[in-house]
Amino acid sequence: MNEGKKYKQFAYQNCYIKENYDRINLIVPKGRKKEIKEKAAAEGKSVNRYINGLIDTDMQ
């Protein structure tokens, strides 16, 4: 893929995300990130999907 086309794709993705999603920065104690990543992977999920699933369950 040429660089100009790649840049346009990233720009489009960033614009789409900015228009359709909110971003939340999460701070966890040192070492906890690895635990979260491992737990998410064990469930076949990304960290984002794993955390969103926990939030959805809690908010029901």
Side-chain angles (χ1 to χ4, degrees):
M1 182 181 294
N2 78 28
E3 292 303 312
K5 189 173 182 181
K6 186 185 279 189
Y7 174 79
K8 286 180 183 179
Q9 181 180 3
F10 285 128
Y12 172 80
Q13 288 172 339
N14 288 336
C15 184
Y16 179 84
I17 290 168
K18 187 176 183 177
E19 291 177 359
N20 293 285
Y21 294 94
D22 289 323
R23 183 173 295 276
I24 299 172
N25 291 327
L26 178 66
I27 299 171
V28 296
K30 199 77 156 163
R32 196 72 195 265
K33 180 180 174 180
K34 181 180 177 192
E35 294 174 6
I36 294 167
K37 285 178 78 171
E38 290 172 352
K39 178 68 173 171
E43 294 189 17
K45 299 177 183 177
S46 68
V47 170
N48 189 62
R49 184 172 296 230
Y50 175 70
I51 291 172
N52 271 300
L54 293 173
I55 293 168
D56 289 345
T57 299
D58 186 66
M59 292 184 74
Q60 287 181 357

